[in-house]
Coordinates of all heavy atoms in Angstrom, one line a residue:
M42 N -13.7 5.4 7.7 CA -13.8 4.0 7.2 C -12.5 3.3 7.5 O -11.4 3.8 7.3 CB -14.1 4.0 5.7 CG -14.2 2.6 5.3 SD -14.3 2.1 3.6 CE -14.9 3.0 2.4
I43 N -12.6 2.1 7.9 CA -11.5 1.2 8.1 C -11.2 0.4 6.9 O -12.1 -0.2 6.3 CB -11.7 0.3 9.3 CG1 -12.0 1.1 10.6 CG2 -10.6 -0.7 9.6 CD1 -10.9 1.9 11.1
L44 N -9.9 0.4 6.5 CA -9.4 -0.4 5.4 C -8.7 -1.6 5.9 O -7.9 -1.5 6.9 CB -8.5 0.4 4.5 CG -9.1 1.7 3.9 CD1 -8.0 2.5 3.2 CD2 -10.2 1.3 2.9
Q45 N -8.8 -2.7 5.3 CA -8.0 -3.9 5.7 C -7.1 -4.1 4.5 O -7.5 -4.4 3.4 CB -8.9 -5.1 5.9 CG -8.2 -6.3 6.4 CD -9.1 -7.4 6.9 OE1 -10.1 -7.1 7.6 NE2 -8.8 -8.6 6.6
V46 N -5.8 -4.0 4.7 CA -4.8 -4.1 3.7 C -3.8 -5.1 4.0 O -3.4 -5.3 5.2 CB -4.1 -2.7 3.4 CG1 -5.1 -1.7 2.8 CG2 -3.5 -2.2 4.6
R47 N -3.3 -5.8 3.0 CA -2.2 -6.7 3.2 C -0.9 -6.0 2.8 O -0.7 -5.4 1.7 CB -2.3 -7.9 2.2 CG -1.3 -9.0 2.5 CD -1.7 -10.3 1.7 NE -0.8 -11.3 2.1 CZ -0.3 -12.1 1.2 NH1 -0.5 -12.0 -0.1 NH2 0.5 -13.1 1.6
V48 N 0.0 -5.9 3.8 CA 1.3 -5.1 3.6 C 2.4 -6.1 3.4 O 2.6 -7.1 4.1 CB 1.5 -4.3 4.9 CG1 2.8 -3.5 4.7 CG2 0.4 -3.4 5.2
K49 N 3.2 -5.8 2.3 CA 4.5 -6.5 2.1 C 5.6 -5.7 2.7 O 5.7 -4.5 2.4 CB 4.7 -6.7 0.6 CG 6.0 -7.5 0.3 CD 6.1 -7.7 -1.2 CE 7.5 -8.4 -1.5 NZ 7.7 -8.5 -2.9
F50 N 6.5 -6.3 3.5 CA 7.5 -5.6 4.2 C 8.9 -5.7 3.6 O 9.1 -6.7 2.8 CB 7.6 -6.0 5.7 CG 6.4 -5.7 6.4 CD1 5.3 -6.5 6.5 CD2 6.3 -4.5 7.1 CE1 4.1 -6.2 7.2 CE2 5.1 -4.1 7.8 CZ 4.1 -5.0 7.9
P51 N 9.8 -4.8 3.8 CA 11.2 -5.0 3.3 C 11.8 -6.3 3.9 O 11.4 -6.8 5.0 CB 11.9 -3.7 3.9 CG 10.8 -2.7 4.1 CD 9.6 -3.5 4.5
S52 N 12.8 -6.7 3.3 CA 13.4 -8.0 3.6 C 14.1 -8.0 5.0 O 14.3 -9.1 5.6 CB 14.5 -8.4 2.6 OG 15.5 -7.4 2.5
D53 N 14.4 -6.8 5.6 CA 15.0 -6.8 6.9 C 14.0 -6.7 8.0 O 14.4 -6.6 9.2 CB 16.0 -5.7 7.0 CG 15.4 -4.3 6.8 OD1 14.3 -4.2 6.2 OD2 16.0 -3.3 7.2
Y54 N 12.7 -6.8 7.7 CA 11.7 -6.8 8.7 C 11.4 -8.2 9.2 O 11.7 -9.2 8.5 CB 10.4 -6.2 8.2 CG 10.4 -4.7 8.3 CD1 11.4 -3.9 7.8 CD2 9.4 -4.0 9.0 CE1 11.4 -2.5 7.9 CE2 9.4 -2.6 9.2 CZ 10.4 -1.9 8.6 OH 10.5 -0.5 8.8
P55 N 10.8 -8.4 10.4 CA 10.6 -9.7 11.0 C 9.5 -10.5 10.3 O 9.3 -11.7 10.5 CB 10.3 -9.5 12.4 CG 9.8 -8.1 12.5 CD 10.5 -7.3 11.4
V56 N 8.7 -9.9 9.5 CA 7.6 -10.5 8.7 C 7.7 -10.2 7.3 O 8.3 -9.2 6.9 CB 6.2 -10.1 9.3 CG1 6.0 -10.6 10.7 CG2 6.0 -8.6 9.2
I57 N 7.1 -11.0 6.4 CA 7.1 -10.7 5.0 C 5.8 -10.0 4.6 O 5.8 -9.0 4.0 CB 7.2 -12.0 4.2 CG1 8.6 -12.6 4.5 CG2 7.1 -11.7 2.7 CD1 8.8 -14.0 3.9
Y58 N 4.6 -10.6 5.0 CA 3.3 -10.0 4.8 C 2.5 -10.0 6.1 O 2.7 -10.9 6.9 CB 2.5 -10.8 3.8 CG 2.9 -10.7 2.3 CD1 3.8 -11.6 1.8 CD2 2.4 -9.7 1.5 CE1 4.1 -11.5 0.4 CE2 2.8 -9.6 0.2 CZ 3.6 -10.5 -0.3 OH 4.0 -10.4 -1.7
K59 N 1.6 -9.0 6.2 CA 0.7 -9.0 7.3 C -0.5 -8.2 6.9 O -0.4 -7.2 6.3 CB 1.4 -8.3 8.6 CG 0.4 -8.3 9.8 CD 1.2 -8.0 11.0 CE 0.3 -7.9 12.2 NZ -0.1 -9.2 12.7
T60 N -1.7 -8.7 7.3 CA -2.9 -8.0 7.1 C -3.1 -7.0 8.2 O -3.1 -7.4 9.4 CB -4.1 -8.9 6.9 OG1 -3.8 -9.8 5.8 CG2 -5.4 -8.2 6.6
I61 N -3.3 -5.8 7.9 CA -3.5 -4.7 8.9 C -4.7 -3.9 8.6 O -5.0 -3.6 7.5 CB -2.2 -3.8 8.9 CG1 -1.0 -4.7 9.3 CG2 -2.3 -2.6 9.9 CD1 0.3 -3.9 9.2
R62 N -5.4 -3.4 9.7 CA -6.5 -2.5 9.5 C -6.0 -1.1 9.7 O -5.4 -0.8 10.7 CB -7.6 -2.9 10.5 CG -8.1 -4.3 10.3 CD -9.0 -4.7 11.4 NE -10.2 -3.9 11.5 CZ -11.4 -4.2 11.0 NH1 -11.6 -5.4 10.4 NH2 -12.4 -3.4 11.1
L63 N -6.4 -0.2 8.8 CA -6.0 1.2 8.8 C -7.2 2.1 8.6 O -8.0 1.8 7.8 CB -4.9 1.5 7.7 CG -3.6 0.8 7.8 CD1 -2.8 1.1 6.6 CD2 -2.8 1.3 9.0
D64 N -7.2 3.2 9.3 CA -8.3 4.2 9.1 C -7.9 5.0 7.8 O -6.8 5.4 7.7 CB -8.3 5.1 10.3 CG -9.5 6.0 10.3 OD1 -9.9 6.5 9.2 OD2 -10.1 6.3 11.4
N65 N -8.9 5.1 6.9 CA -8.6 5.8 5.7 C -8.4 7.3 5.9 O -8.1 8.0 4.9 CB -9.6 5.5 4.6 CG -10.9 6.1 4.8 OD1 -11.3 6.6 5.9 ND2 -11.8 6.0 3.8
S66 N -8.7 7.8 7.1 CA -8.4 9.3 7.3 C -7.0 9.6 7.7 O -6.6 10.7 7.9 CB -9.4 9.8 8.4 OG -9.1 9.2 9.6
L67 N -6.2 8.5 7.8 CA -4.7 8.7 8.1 C -4.0 9.2 6.9 O -4.4 8.9 5.8 CB -4.1 7.4 8.5 CG -4.6 6.7 9.8 CD1 -3.9 5.4 10.0 CD2 -4.3 7.6 11.0
T68 N -2.9 10.0 7.1 CA -2.0 10.3 6.0 C -1.2 9.1 5.8 O -1.1 8.2 6.6 CB -1.1 11.5 6.4 OG1 -0.3 11.2 7.5 CG2 -1.9 12.8 6.7
V69 N -0.5 9.1 4.7 CA 0.4 8.0 4.4 C 1.5 7.9 5.4 O 1.8 6.7 5.9 CB 1.1 8.2 3.0 CG1 2.2 7.2 2.7 CG2 0.0 8.1 1.9
Q70 N 2.0 9.0 5.9 CA 3.1 8.9 6.9 C 2.5 8.4 8.2 O 3.1 7.6 8.9 CB 3.7 10.3 7.2 CG 4.9 10.3 8.0 CD 6.0 9.5 7.4 OE1 6.3 9.6 6.2 NE2 6.7 8.7 8.2
E71 N 1.3 8.8 8.6 CA 0.7 8.2 9.8 C 0.4 6.7 9.7 O 0.5 6.0 10.6 CB -0.6 9.0 10.1 CG -0.4 10.4 10.5 CD -1.7 11.2 10.5 OE1 -2.7 10.9 9.8 OE2 -1.8 12.2 11.3
A72 N 0.0 6.3 8.5 CA -0.2 4.9 8.2 C 1.0 4.1 8.3 O 1.0 3.0 8.9 CB -0.8 4.7 6.8
I73 N 2.2 4.6 7.9 CA 3.5 4.0 8.0 C 3.8 3.8 9.5 O 4.2 2.7 9.9 CB 4.6 4.7 7.3 CG1 4.3 4.7 5.8 CG2 6.0 4.2 7.7 CD1 5.2 5.6 5.0
L74 N 3.5 4.8 10.3 CA 3.8 4.6 11.8 C 2.8 3.6 12.4 O 3.2 2.8 13.2 CB 3.6 6.0 12.5 CG 4.6 7.1 12.1 CD1 4.2 8.4 12.7 CD2 6.0 6.6 12.5
A75 N 1.5 3.6 12.0 CA 0.6 2.6 12.5 C 1.0 1.2 12.1 O 0.8 0.3 12.9 CB -0.8 2.9 11.9
I76 N 1.5 1.0 10.9 CA 2.0 -0.3 10.4 C 3.1 -0.7 11.3 O 3.2 -1.9 11.7 CB 2.3 -0.2 8.9 CG1 1.1 -0.1 8.1 CG2 3.1 -1.5 8.5 CD1 1.3 0.3 6.6
G77 N 4.1 0.2 11.5 CA 5.2 -0.1 12.4 C 4.8 -0.6 13.8 O 5.3 -1.5 14.4
E78 N 3.8 0.1 14.3 CA 3.2 -0.2 15.7 C 2.6 -1.6 15.6 O 2.7 -2.4 16.6 CB 2.2 0.8 16.1 CG 2.8 2.1 16.5 CD 1.8 3.2 16.9 OE1 0.6 2.8 17.1 OE2 2.1 4.3 17.0
A79 N 1.9 -1.9 14.5 CA 1.2 -3.2 14.4 C 2.2 -4.4 14.5 O 1.8 -5.5 14.9 CB 0.4 -3.3 13.1
I80 N 3.4 -4.2 14.0 CA 4.4 -5.3 14.0 C 5.5 -5.0 15.0 O 6.5 -5.8 15.1 CB 5.0 -5.6 12.6 CG1 5.8 -4.4 12.1 CG2 3.9 -6.0 11.6 CD1 6.7 -4.7 10.9
N81 N 5.4 -4.0 15.8 CA 6.3 -3.7 16.9 C 7.7 -3.4 16.4 O 8.7 -3.8 16.9 CB 6.3 -4.8 17.9 CG 6.7 -4.3 19.3 OD1 6.6 -3.1 19.6 ND2 7.1 -5.2 20.2
V82 N 7.8 -2.6 15.3 CA 9.0 -2.2 14.7 C 8.9 -0.7 14.4 O 7.9 -0.2 13.9 CB 9.3 -2.9 13.4 CG1 10.6 -2.4 12.7 CG2 9.5 -4.4 13.7
T83 N 10.0 0.1 14.7 CA 10.0 1.5 14.4 C 10.4 1.7 13.0 O 11.6 1.3 12.6 CB 10.9 2.3 15.3 OG1 10.5 2.1 16.7 CG2 10.9 3.8 15.0
P84 N 9.6 2.2 12.1 CA 9.9 2.3 10.7 C 11.0 3.4 10.5 O 11.0 4.4 11.2 CB 8.6 2.7 10.0 CG 7.6 2.9 11.0 CD 8.2 2.6 12.3
S85 N 11.9 3.2 9.6 CA 12.9 4.2 9.3 C 12.2 5.3 8.5 O 11.2 5.2 7.9 CB 14.1 3.6 8.5 OG 13.6 3.2 7.2
S86 N 12.9 6.5 8.6 CA 12.3 7.7 8.0 C 12.2 7.7 6.5 O 11.5 8.5 5.9 CB 13.0 8.9 8.5 OG 14.4 8.9 8.1
D87 N 13.0 6.8 5.8 CA 13.0 6.8 4.4 C 11.9 5.8 3.8 O 11.9 5.6 2.6 CB 14.4 6.4 3.9 CG 14.7 4.9 4.1 OD1 14.3 4.4 5.2 OD2 15.3 4.3 3.2
L88 N 11.0 5.2 4.6 CA 10.1 4.3 4.1 C 8.9 5.0 3.5 O 8.5 6.1 3.9 CB 9.6 3.4 5.2 CG 10.6 2.3 5.6 CD1 10.0 1.5 6.7 CD2 11.0 1.4 4.5
G89 N 8.3 4.4 2.4 CA 7.1 4.9 1.8 C 6.2 3.8 1.5 O 6.5 2.6 1.6
L90 N 4.9 4.1 1.1 CA 4.0 3.1 0.7 C 3.9 3.1 -0.8 O 3.9 4.2 -1.5 CB 2.6 3.4 1.2 CG 2.4 3.2 2.7 CD1 1.0 3.6 3.1 CD2 2.7 1.8 3.2
F91 N 3.8 1.9 -1.4 CA 3.9 1.7 -2.9 C 2.8 0.8 -3.3 O 2.5 -0.2 -2.7 CB 5.3 1.1 -3.2 CG 5.5 0.8 -4.7 CD1 5.8 1.9 -5.5 CD2 5.5 -0.5 -5.1 CE1 6.0 1.6 -6.9 CE2 5.7 -0.7 -6.5 CZ 6.0 0.3 -7.3
L92 N 2.0 1.2 -4.3 CA 1.0 0.4 -4.9 C 1.6 -0.3 -6.1 O 1.8 0.2 -7.1 CB -0.2 1.3 -5.4 CG -1.0 1.9 -4.3 CD1 -2.0 2.9 -4.9 CD2 -1.8 0.9 -3.5
P93 N 1.9 -1.6 -5.9 CA 2.6 -2.4 -7.0 C 1.7 -2.5 -8.3 O 2.3 -2.5 -9.4 CB 2.9 -3.7 -6.4 CG 2.0 -3.8 -5.2 CD 1.7 -2.4 -4.7
D94 N 0.4 -2.6 -8.1 CA -0.4 -2.8 -9.3 C -0.5 -1.5 -10.2 O -0.6 -1.6 -11.4 CB -1.9 -3.1 -8.9 CG -2.0 -4.5 -8.2 OD1 -1.1 -5.3 -8.4 OD2 -3.0 -4.7 -7.5
E95 N -0.3 -0.4 -9.5 CA -0.3 0.9 -10.2 C 1.2 1.4 -10.5 O 1.3 2.5 -11.1 CB -1.0 2.0 -9.4 CG -2.4 1.6 -9.0 CD -3.4 1.8 -10.2 OE1 -3.1 2.7 -11.0 OE2 -4.3 1.0 -10.3
A96 N 2.2 0.8 -9.9 CA 3.5 1.2 -9.9 C 3.6 2.7 -9.5 O 4.2 3.5 -10.1 CB 4.1 1.1 -11.3
K97 N 3.0 2.9 -8.3 CA 2.9 4.3 -7.8 C 3.3 4.4 -6.3 O 2.8 3.6 -5.5 CB 1.4 4.7 -8.0 CG 1.1 6.1 -7.5 CD -0.3 6.4 -7.9 CE -0.6 7.9 -7.6 NZ -1.9 8.3 -8.0
C98 N 4.1 5.3 -6.0 CA 4.4 5.7 -4.6 C 3.4 6.7 -4.1 O 3.0 7.5 -4.9 CB 5.8 6.3 -4.5 SG 7.1 5.1 -4.6
L99 N 3.0 6.5 -2.9 CA 2.0 7.4 -2.3 C 2.7 8.6 -1.6 O 3.7 8.4 -0.9 CB 1.1 6.7 -1.3 CG 0.4 5.4 -1.9 CD1 -0.5 4.8 -0.8 CD2 -0.3 5.7 -3.1
A100 N 2.2 9.8 -1.8 CA 2.8 11.0 -1.2 C 2.6 10.9 0.3 O 1.5 10.6 0.8 CB 2.2 12.3 -1.8
D101 N 3.6 11.3 1.1 CA 3.6 11.1 2.5 C 2.4 11.9 3.2 O 1.9 11.5 4.2 CB 4.9 11.6 3.1 CG 6.0 10.6 2.9 OD1 5.8 9.5 2.6 OD2 7.2 11.0 3.1
T102 N 2.1 13.1 2.6 CA 1.1 14.0 3.3 C -0.3 13.7 2.8 O -1.3 14.3 3.2 CB 1.5 15.4 3.1 OG1 1.6 15.7 1.7 CG2 2.8 15.8 3.8
S103 N -0.5 12.8 1.8 CA -1.8 12.5 1.3 C -2.6 11.6 2.2 O -2.0 10.8 2.9 CB -1.7 11.8 -0.1 OG -1.1 12.7 -1.0
L104 N -3.9 11.8 2.2 CA -4.8 10.9 3.0 C -5.0 9.6 2.2 O -5.0 9.6 1.0 CB -6.2 11.5 3.2 CG -6.2 12.8 4.0 CD1 -7.6 13.4 4.1 CD2 -5.7 12.5 5.4
L105 N -5.1 8.5 3.0 CA -5.3 7.2 2.3 C -6.6 7.2 1.5 O -6.7 6.6 0.5 CB -5.3 6.1 3.4 CG -4.1 5.8 4.2 CD1 -4.3 4.7 5.1 CD2 -2.9 5.6 3.3
S106 N -7.6 8.0 2.0 CA -8.9 8.0 1.3 C -8.8 8.7 0.0 O -9.7 8.6 -0.8 CB -9.9 8.8 2.2 OG -9.5 10.1 2.5
S107 N -7.7 9.5 -0.3 CA -7.6 10.2 -1.6 C -7.1 9.2 -2.7 O -7.1 9.6 -3.8 CB -6.6 11.4 -1.4 OG -5.3 10.9 -1.2
Y108 N -6.8 8.0 -2.3 CA -6.3 7.0 -3.3 C -7.4 6.0 -3.5 O -7.5 5.0 -2.7 CB -5.0 6.4 -2.9 CG -3.8 7.3 -2.9 CD1 -3.4 7.9 -1.7 CD2 -3.2 7.7 -4.1 CE1 -2.3 8.8 -1.7 CE2 -2.1 8.5 -4.1 CZ -1.7 9.1 -2.9 OH -0.6 10.0 -2.8
E109 N -8.2 6.0 -4.5 CA -9.2 5.0 -4.8 C -8.6 3.7 -5.0 O -9.1 2.6 -4.6 CB -10.1 5.4 -6.0 CG -11.2 4.5 -6.2 CD -12.1 4.9 -7.4 OE1 -12.4 6.1 -7.5 OE2 -12.4 4.1 -8.2
Q110 N -7.4 3.7 -5.7 CA -6.7 2.4 -6.0 C -6.3 1.7 -4.7 O -6.1 0.5 -4.7 CB -5.4 2.7 -6.8 CG -5.5 3.6 -7.9 CD -5.2 5.0 -7.6 OE1 -5.8 5.6 -6.7 NE2 -4.3 5.7 -8.2
F111 N -6.0 2.5 -3.6 CA -5.6 1.9 -2.4 C -6.6 0.9 -1.8 O -6.3 -0.1 -1.3 CB -5.3 3.0 -1.4 CG -4.7 2.6 -0.1 CD1 -3.3 2.5 0.0 CD2 -5.5 2.2 1.0 CE1 -2.7 2.1 1.2 CE2 -4.9 1.8 2.2 CZ -3.5 1.7 2.3
Q112 N -7.9 1.3 -2.0 CA -9.0 0.5 -1.4 C -9.2 -0.8 -2.2 O -9.6 -1.8 -1.7 CB -10.3 1.3 -1.5 CG -10.2 2.5 -0.6 CD -11.5 3.4 -0.7 OE1 -12.5 2.9 -1.1 NE2 -11.3 4.6 -0.3
N113 N -8.7 -0.8 -3.5 CA -8.9 -2.0 -4.3 C -7.6 -2.8 -4.5 O -7.6 -3.8 -5.2 CB -9.4 -1.6 -5.7 CG -10.8 -0.9 -5.6 OD1 -11.6 -1.2 -4.8 ND2 -10.9 0.2 -6.4
A114 N -6.5 -2.4 -3.9 CA -5.3 -3.0 -4.1 C -5.3 -4.4 -3.4 O -5.8 -4.6 -2.3 CB -4.1 -2.2 -3.5
S115 N -4.6 -5.4 -4.0 CA -4.5 -6.7 -3.4 C -3.5 -6.7 -2.3 O -3.6 -7.4 -1.3 CB -4.1 -7.8 -4.4 OG -2.9 -7.4 -5.1
Y116 N -2.5 -5.8 -2.4 CA -1.6 -5.5 -1.3 C -0.8 -4.3 -1.6 O -0.9 -3.7 -2.7 CB -0.6 -6.7 -1.1 CG 0.4 -6.9 -2.1 CD1 1.7 -6.4 -2.0 CD2 0.2 -7.7 -3.3 CE1 2.7 -6.5 -3.0 CE2 1.1 -7.9 -4.2 CZ 2.4 -7.3 -4.1 OH 3.3 -7.5 -5.1
I117 N -0.2 -3.7 -0.5 CA 0.7 -2.5 -0.7 C 2.0 -2.9 -0.2 O 2.2 -3.9 0.5 CB 0.1 -1.3 0.1 CG1 0.0 -1.6 1.6 CG2 -1.2 -0.8 -0.4 CD1 -0.3 -0.4 2.5
E118 N 3.0 -2.2 -0.6 CA 4.4 -2.5 -0.2 C 4.9 -1.3 0.7 O 4.7 -0.1 0.4 CB 5.3 -2.7 -1.4 CG 4.9 -3.9 -2.1 CD 5.8 -4.2 -3.3 OE1 7.0 -3.8 -3.3 OE2 5.4 -4.9 -4.2
L119 N 5.6 -1.6 1.7 CA 6.4 -0.7 2.5 C 7.8 -0.8 2.1 O 8.4 -1.8 2.2 CB 6.2 -1.1 4.0 CG 6.7 -0.1 5.0 CD1 5.9 1.2 5.0 CD2 6.7 -0.7 6.4
K120 N 8.3 0.3 1.4 CA 9.6 0.2 0.8 C 10.5 1.5 1.1 O 9.9 2.5 1.4 CB 9.5 0.1 -0.7 CG 8.9 -1.2 -1.2 CD 9.0 -1.2 -2.7 CE 8.5 -2.5 -3.3 NZ 8.7 -2.6 -4.7
S121 N 11.7 1.3 0.9 CA 12.7 2.4 1.0 C 12.5 3.4 -0.2 O 12.4 2.9 -1.4 CB 14.1 1.9 1.0 OG 15.0 3.0 1.0
K122 N 12.5 4.7 0.0 CA 12.4 5.7 -1.1 C 13.8 6.1 -1.5 O 13.9 6.9 -2.5 CB 11.7 6.9 -0.6 CG 10.2 6.6 -0.2 CD 9.5 7.8 0.1 CE 9.8 8.2 1.6 NZ 8.9 9.3 2.0
K123 N 14.9 5.6 -0.9 CA 16.3 6.0 -1.2 C 16.7 5.8 -2.7 O 17.5 6.5 -3.2 CB 17.3 5.3 -0.3 CG 17.3 5.9 1.1 CD 18.4 5.2 1.9 CE 18.4 5.8 3.3 NZ 19.4 5.1 4.1
S124 N 16.1 4.8 -3.3 CA 16.6 4.5 -4.7 C 15.7 5.1 -5.7 O 15.8 4.7 -6.9 CB 16.6 2.9 -4.8 OG 15.3 2.4 -4.7
A125 N 14.9 6.0 -5.4 CA 14.0 6.7 -6.3 C 14.9 7.4 -7.4 O 15.8 8.1 -7.0 CB 13.1 7.7 -5.7
K126 N 14.6 7.2 -8.6 CA 15.4 7.8 -9.7 C 14.6 8.9 -10.4 O 15.0 9.3 -11.5 CB 15.7 6.7 -10.7 CG 16.4 5.5 -10.2 CD 17.8 5.8 -9.9 CE 18.5 4.5 -9.6 NZ 19.2 4.5 -8.3
G127 N 13.6 9.4 -9.8 CA 12.8 10.5 -10.5 C 11.6 10.1 -11.2 O 10.8 10.9 -11.6
D128 N 11.4 8.8 -11.4 CA 10.2 8.3 -12.0 C 9.5 7.3 -11.1 O 10.2 6.6 -10.3 CB 10.4 7.7 -13.4 CG 11.2 6.5 -13.4 OD1 12.1 6.3 -12.6 OD2 10.9 5.6 -14.2
N129 N 8.2 7.1 -11.2 CA 7.5 6.3 -10.3 C 7.8 4.8 -10.5 O 7.6 4.0 -9.6 CB 6.0 6.5 -10.4 CG 5.6 7.8 -9.7 OD1 6.3 8.3 -8.9 ND2 4.4 8.2 -10.1
S130 N 8.3 4.4 -11.6 CA 8.6 3.0 -11.9 C 9.7 2.5 -11.0 O 9.8 1.3 -10.7 CB 8.8 2.7 -13.3 OG 10.0 3.4 -13.7
N131 N 10.6 3.3 -10.6 CA 11.8 2.9 -9.8 C 11.6 3.3 -8.4 O 12.5 3.1 -7.6 CB 13.1 3.5 -10.4 CG 13.4 2.8 -11.7 OD1 13.2 1.7 -11.9 ND2 14.0 3.6 -12.6
C132 N 10.5 4.0 -8.0 CA 10.3 4.5 -6.7 C 10.2 3.4 -5.7 O 9.6 2.4 -5.9 CB 9.0 5.3 -6.7 SG 8.6 6.0 -5.1
C133 N 10.8 3.6 -4.6 CA 10.6 2.8 -3.4 C 11.1 1.4 -3.5 O 10.6 0.5 -2.9 CB 9.1 2.7 -3.0 SG 8.4 4.4 -2.8
T134 N 12.2 1.1 -4.3 CA 12.7 -0.2 -4.4 C 13.3 -0.7 -3.1 O 14.0 0.0 -2.4 CB 13.8 -0.3 -5.5 OG1 13.2 0.2 -6.7 CG2 14.3 -1.6 -5.7
I135 N 13.0 -1.9 -2.7 CA 13.6 -2.5 -1.5 C 15.1 -2.6 -1.7 O 15.5 -3.1 -2.7 CB 12.9 -3.9 -1.2 CG1 11.5 -3.7 -0.9 CG2 13.7 -4.5 0.0 CD1 10.7 -5.0 -0.6
M136 N 15.8 -2.2 -0.7 CA 17.3 -2.2 -0.7 C 17.7 -3.6 -0.3 O 17.2 -4.3 0.5 CB 17.8 -1.2 0.2 CG 17.4 0.2 -0.2 SD 18.0 1.5 0.9 CE 19.7 1.2 1.0

């Protein structure tokens, strides 16, 4: 199944938001690479996907289809995982 998601990008990216179509059989890491290809930017290795409505970072090896919230999210964020403090509320803060 193809998901259409609105992605919010880090401030150092050439776009702020973009609507992208992703296959829900992709892992989170594969989705990050596909998002990078869609905007012609190579994502850094410390990026993760974050569901702001749930205040939840998605595990890199999980399938997009395993997150029901992902399908209903108004948007997702592509953020750095470097500032994670051990709890999901601070996970993936944009640097």
